[in-house]
Amino acid sequence: MKLFICFSLCLLSMNIFCQENNKSYIITSPLIKEHDDNELRINLATSIIGFPELNYERFIEDNMGVGLAASVSLDKIEDMSMRWYALPFYRLYFGKKKASGFFIEGNMAVVGQKQYVYNINYFSNEYYQSSATTYSTTNFGFGGAIGVKLLARNGFTGEVYLGGGRLFGNSIDTAYPRIGVCIGKRF
């Protein structure tokens, strides 16, 4: 009889412990993913002026990210001396949501520039223009920007920023602009 009571108590205690559930459930919206650590953007402001820019950013914390902006000129050399650039950047965000709100940016740039140089030969009061030669250079620079990023619930982003940087070395233009009105998507 003692064995039967012990066996019954063991079965009863196992039944009680089997009903206990330690799982906690987190309810999230299906539109907002928890691990949206990447973002791809296109810069509309530079696209309008013939210098489309594509940005990729990876969020390393909730308030900081690193990325790369790349752009190539579609205009003629006579219209724009800056032909391309690759610009790695670091951003620090001050918003309440993940990687949104006001931000400051530090960047480095590798810029390719090209320019036509015309040789003009003078003969008394008349002159004539000889053939043009192309002068091209690739330079390195540092810069910064400030801006604001807005985040929608479905992962779309919009941002506006303004800044610039200085190029070092024997460059055609000594500065580069950092201007943007961008739309993007987190994934």
Side-chain angles (χ1 to χ4, degrees), residues 14-21:
M14 283 178 38
N15 190 22
I16 291 172
F17 287 113
C18 288
Q19 298 298 321
E20 187 177 307
N21 189 356

Side-chain angles (χ1 to χ4, degrees), residues 41 55-69 86-94 99 102-109 141-147 149 159 161 176 178:
R41 296 183 300 273
N55 291 287
Y56 169 77
E57 187 172 4
R58 172 84 175 166
F59 306 117
I60 52 179
E61 292 288 332
D62 284 349
N63 66 339
M64 64 182 72
V66 294
L68 178 68
L87 195 134
F89 59 86
Y90 170 81
R91 286 184 176 173
L92 186 60
Y93 293 93
F94 297 97
F102 176 76
F103 65 85
I104 56 174
E105 172 187 294
N107 59 57
M108 299 182 302
F142 291 104
I146 59 170
K149 181 182 285 193
E159 71 178 30
Y161 56 86
Y176 62 92
R178 187 76 174 122

Side-chain angles (χ1 to χ4, degrees), residues 40-44 157-159 181-185:
L40 194 59
R41 296 183 300 273
I42 186 162
N43 191 338
L44 300 175
T157 62
E159 71 178 30
V181 177
C182 301
I183 58 171
K185 176 76 171 125

Side-chain angles (χ1 to χ4, degrees), residues 68-80:
L68 178 68
S71 186
V72 176
S73 176
L74 302 176
D75 286 342
K76 297 177 184 175
I77 295 174
E78 297 91 7
D79 298 335
M80 185 180 292

Side-chain angles (χ1 to χ4, degrees), residues 12-42:
L12 183 63
S13 65
M14 283 178 38
N15 190 22
I16 291 172
F17 287 113
C18 288
Q19 298 298 321
E20 187 177 307
N21 189 356
N22 289 332
K23 291 184 181 177
S24 62
Y25 295 99
I26 300 172
I27 300 172
T28 59
S29 171
L31 297 177
I32 300 175
K33 296 178 184 172
E34 287 295 318
H35 300 289
D36 289 340
D37 291 335
N38 302 299
E39 184 173 314
L40 194 59
R41 296 183 300 273
I42 186 162

